[in-house]
Amino acid sequence: MATKKITERDWERLIRAARDVRKRAHAPYSKYRVGAALLTQDGKIITGCNVENASYGLTICAERGAICSAVAQGHRKFVALALVSSSGAGPCGACRQVLVEFAPEMPVRIVLPAGKKHRQSTVEELLPSRFDSSALT
Ligand code: THU
């Protein structure tokens, strides 16, 4: 299947979804809310927000929440990811590893809460020299 071409309209929808889901973040400890929205190959938007825990190490990041939700709903082909946080930081290392499992070429657009584009790169640019299934054959 040809990779879906992502339009600016797709990005607008994705960014709106990421900004909306960010409001649902459970971040009472860090107060750092993150919203993630994935666009699937068949045009669906799947979202995730960070979910912290009193046992801090159990925190789940927005990006991994979105991926887990998408896979559970039967989606494994992703064409774009929008991320919203107050600092415009990129995904953490663990999330980069989880994202690369499914979508190394996927563009990740990082956006500030007011909706302004901060930066954009692909997952493989964010995680050079990755570990993936090719190591296991
Ligand atoms: N966080 C994410 O949701 N995604 C990342 O890629 C980086 C960090 C969350 C985890 C925690 O709830 C808060 O941001 C501060 O680390």
Side-chain angles (χ1 to χ4, degrees):
M1 200 193 299
T3 306
K4 182 180 159 34
K5 185 166 171 358
I6 303 139
T7 62
E8 275 310 305
R9 214 177 110 71
D10 290 327
W11 280 116
E12 278 166 28
R13 284 173 62 221
L14 259 192
I15 289 164
R16 194 176 319 125
R19 290 172 72 196
D20 284 349
V21 73
R22 179 172 175 265
K23 294 178 193 147
R24 300 203 195 106
H26 177 67
Y29 308 107
S30 73
K31 318 268 192 242
Y32 186 78
R33 293 166 174 270
V34 185
L38 281 167
L39 182 64
T40 67
Q41 173 76 54
D42 55 1
K44 287 221 161 52
I45 292 181
I46 314 272
T47 59
C49 57
N50 51 330
V51 179
E52 298 185 348
N53 192 276
S55 178
Y56 298 165
L58 300 184
T59 290
I60 297 166
C61 293
E63 301 88 320
R64 277 179 291 152
I67 288 276
C68 291
S69 177
V71 172
Q73 292 174 55
H75 301 285
R76 289 174 184 221
K77 289 190 175 147
F78 308 116
V79 293
L81 170 66
L83 267 185
V84 179
S85 66
S86 59
S87 65
C92 78
C95 288
R96 291 176 197 211
Q97 180 66 29
V98 170
L99 291 167
V100 89
E101 174 80 12
F102 294 98
E105 291 165 19
M106 175 171 71
V108 179
R109 187 172 288 192
I110 297 168
V111 174
L112 297 171
K116 192 174 175 293
K117 179 176 167 183
H118 188 57
R119 57 197 164 108
Q120 183 172 323
S121 47
T122 65
V123 174
E124 59 198 350
E125 284 165 352
L126 292 170
L127 189 66
S129 304
R130 65 182 182 262
F131 181 86
D132 63 20
S133 61
S134 66
L136 305 174
T137 52

